[in-house]
Amino acid sequence: MSDDMQLNPLSNIHNGDSKVILDLLEQSQPEDQVMLLMVLWRIWHTRNEIVHGKPAPGILVSKRFIESYVLSLAEIKQHPQANPEKGKHVVDVVLKKSHSIKRSREPAPDKWSKPLPGSMKLNVDGSFQESEGKGGIGAVLRNCTGEVIFAACGHVDHCSSALEMELLASRDGLALALQWTLLPIVIETDCLAMVHLFRDATGAKSELAFLITEIDSLLVGNRDISFNKCLRSQNLISHCLANKGRCDKITQFWPDNKCTFISQFICEEANE
């Protein structure tokens, strides 16, 4: 990711120089220091995966992971009192095209954004009613033009938390998406706690561990699949689907753009 950070030319680096990392850190801007440390940490993680016989994550996967992680750290720093399960706050840090972290006065986009050409975006959400212990899940898969590949909702009779519903939505949504596309998939959720679980599942409650394991099993292979934290306003359609599943007590699947009650939202977001 040297092109993404304003570092001194790599040609100035000499093999065997034990201070090269310290020199790079000292000569870098604070925002580039964060990215450099994250890259080094990811390199060590990849090395450990290979040593233990696991496949190395792809470069694009690692790049998106680092960018998402840095944004999450910034979000926690700027909003330490916020509820991590449903992030509704704007982070005053954006990753520009160069991918270095810069301060910006521009607010984060509040509308759903299309995935990059050649990829798909899967938006998922869970709905939970604590008083009844019931919930619903919603998922919608769209391509780079905003065209709907499928939409789905489901009703869950017994559940224990909002986080459980988010995990169920991700598991079932991803299982469907893998059957409907061979392209890279970005899974987008407004649940920050769930995104953190897939970085470090050691703090997961025992009753949720099986869901994390099941989702992990879907991530195995050469498919480029990544998680992205978004705002609630960027996740409206899957939110509506999850509420429909819970309130109407239905489980339903709509291929293509046949889910009529979300058609207006689809048209509005596709034209953004």
Side-chain angles (χ1 to χ4, degrees), residues 44-56:
W44 183 253
H45 166 79
T46 301
R47 174 261 181 199
N48 289 339
E49 293 288 279
I50 296 173
V51 167
H52 293 287
K54 299 180 181 179

Side-chain angles (χ1 to χ4, degrees), residues 162-172 194 197-198 208 211-212 215:
L163 182 56
E164 180 183 2
M165 299 312 304
E166 299 285 352
L167 289 168
L168 283 170
S170 294
R171 182 196 66 183
D172 293 355
M194 187 179 74
L197 276 180
F198 286 96
L208 300 180
L211 285 174
I212 297 173
I215 295 173

Side-chain angles (χ1 to χ4, degrees), residues 151-245:
C153 70
H155 176 72
V156 180
D157 273 326
H158 304 287
C159 53
S160 60
S161 67
L163 182 56
E164 180 183 2
M165 299 312 304
E166 299 285 352
L167 289 168
L168 283 170
S170 294
R171 182 196 66 183
D172 293 355
L174 179 56
L176 286 171
L178 289 172
Q179 299 177 43
W180 280 77
T181 182
L182 296 175
L183 296 176
I185 301 171
V186 177
I187 305 172
E188 202 163 66
T189 172
D190 57 23
C191 180
L192 184 60
M194 187 179 74
V195 175
H196 286 165
L197 276 180
F198 286 96
R199 295 176 185 147
D200 181 9
T202 56
K205 296 180 180 179
S206 58
E207 63 266 25
L208 300 180
F210 79 97
L211 285 174
I212 297 173
T213 300
E214 290 180 354
I215 295 173
D216 279 338
S217 69
L218 295 173
L219 300 175
V220 173
N222 296 324
R223 297 292 294 275
D224 185 356
I225 303 172
S226 59
F227 283 87
N228 182 47
K229 164 68 173 61
C230 67
L231 301 175
R232 168 63 68 84
S233 59
Q234 297 171 307
N235 207 33
L236 286 178
I237 293 178
S238 60
H239 178 68
C240 291
L241 288 164
N243 280 337
K244 184 174 182 64

Side-chain angles (χ1 to χ4, degrees), residues 79-143:
H79 304 278
Q81 304 302 322
N83 182 350
E85 292 200 5
K86 288 289 181 182
K88 299 180 182 179
H89 34 275
V90 175
V91 181
D92 188 29
V93 174
V94 295
L95 291 174
K96 292 189 175 180
K97 189 173 182 180
S98 65
H99 300 292
S100 59
I101 302 177
K102 303 294 182 181
R103 293 284 177 178
S104 173
R105 295 182 180 179
E106 294 295 327
D110 59 357
K111 297 292 185 181
W112 178 82
S113 59
K114 300 173 184 177
L116 295 174
S119 64
M120 295 280 188
K121 180 174 285 188
L122 174 69
N123 284 83
V124 296
D125 198 19
S127 176
F128 175 61
Q129 187 171 16
E130 186 175 7
S131 60
E132 297 183 1
K134 299 182 183 298
I137 58 177
V140 56
L141 181 69
R142 284 175 281 186
N143 62 20

Side-chain angles (χ1 to χ4, degrees), residues 55-72:
I59 294 176
L60 288 178
V61 173
S62 293
K63 187 175 182 180
R64 290 172 182 166
F65 173 86
I66 292 171
E67 292 170 352
S68 175
Y69 205 111
V70 170
L71 282 177
S72 295

